Amino acid sequence: MLIDQYISLSGVELVDLPSNFFSVIEDYQRELSTMNDNSHAEIKWQYQVPELGEGGSCSLFDQLSEQPYDLTAILGGMSEFNAKLLKQVTAIVDFYQKSSGSQWFGVYQKRINQAGDTVLVKLAYYGAPSRAEFPLTQAFAAMSNNSTVGLSGKARIINDVGLYLSAGGEYYTCDPKVQSEACLPLFSDDGELVGIVDSEAFAKNVFIGNELALLLSVAVKLGSVLR
């Protein structure tokens, strides 16, 4: 998918852009295009997750579940195809981390879980442990940017979480240190919504300029991988 198509579909608002914004995107996309299946990215089939609060709605910060989340069930096993998928996604996460100013980043794919519910499942990430699945329901979207973007296909960028909350915005708090967040949809080449990315930073006004250019480049690349 071309970057202008992605921007139009996702509804990302581009304001106060530096003059080299789109040339920076081109540079990132050029680097991403050279990535291949021989990446040394280390995939994880299991990862730690926080305990969930009453009713399973909120994560309990700094309280980890004894049972790690296992991706094999929702992916359908440790097949060669799934291993390749996780390796590609993890390599892109590693690429993003090297250039980003964010402290947390996760890639979620739209899947049906073992209970038959449509969810966003976290395939790879860096940063503190966080919940593995976000329900794709209107009820959960009322408090979750991830679910909102996963249902609407429209980007949500919050460069001042405190200001957003004081204005009445709903927010799913995973880590109280987060001050800005960017949640972007992922589209296949034919425009199908296949997942989201979520990036979080401990400073305000992170997702502008080159950081936004990086995130957009990675989102377009991931859409073609998750297709």
Side-chain angles (χ1 to χ4, degrees), residues 16-210:
D16 299 325
L17 297 179
S19 59
N20 66 338
F21 183 76
F22 286 99
S23 64
V24 171
I25 287 178
E26 290 176 0
D27 290 341
Y28 282 133
Q29 289 187 311
R30 193 175 300 112
E31 290 184 68
L32 285 163
S33 70
T34 64
M35 298 176 68
N36 55 48
D37 296 340
N38 296 321
S39 164
H40 296 294
E42 182 181 350
I43 66 174
K44 294 181 179 179
W45 294 97
Q46 296 183 332
Y47 51 76
Q48 289 184 303
V49 290
E51 292 279 4
L52 295 181
E54 186 176 352
S57 58
C58 296
S59 299
L60 301 179
F61 184 64
D62 273 351
Q63 295 186 41
L64 296 180
S65 172
E66 293 182 3
Q67 186 70 29
Y69 184 83
D70 191 340
L71 280 167
T72 56
I74 198 166
L75 294 183
M78 290 187 183
S79 67
E80 183 178 345
F81 177 87
N82 288 332
K84 180 180 178 181
L85 172 68
L86 291 182
K87 191 169 187 178
Q88 288 177 310
V89 171
T90 302
I92 297 171
V93 170
D94 291 346
F95 174 88
Y96 181 79
Q97 185 175 17
K98 289 176 183 177
S99 301
S100 175
S102 70
Q103 281 69 47
W104 196 94
F105 180 71
V107 178
Y108 298 79
Q109 187 177 29
K110 185 178 178 181
R111 289 262 181 174
I112 297 176
N113 65 14
Q114 296 301 102
D117 300 321
T118 304
V119 298
L120 293 168
V121 60
K122 188 173 64 182
L123 298 183
Y125 74 103
Y126 70 79
S130 62
R131 72 180 296 144
E133 295 181 7
F134 281 84
L136 281 176
T137 64
Q138 292 297 337
F140 206 84
M143 65 173 180
S144 166
N145 288 324
N146 286 5
S147 296
T148 296
V149 175
L151 287 172
S152 69
K154 298 301 180 183
R156 179 169 286 186
I157 298 176
I158 302 171
N159 271 308
D160 188 333
V161 170
L163 184 62
Y164 177 77
L165 287 171
S166 66
E170 294 290 341
Y171 192 77
Y172 183 95
T173 300
C174 241
D175 188 333
K177 295 190 294 295
V178 173
Q179 295 192 55
S180 54
E181 177 184 20
C183 191
L184 270 58
L186 303 177
F187 300 107
S188 65
D189 291 337
D190 61 5
E192 180 186 358
L193 181 61
V194 293
I196 69 159
V197 290
D198 183 24
S199 189
E200 300 175 352
F202 297 163
K204 299 176 184 177
N205 300 312
V206 168
F207 300 105
I208 56 176
N210 285 5

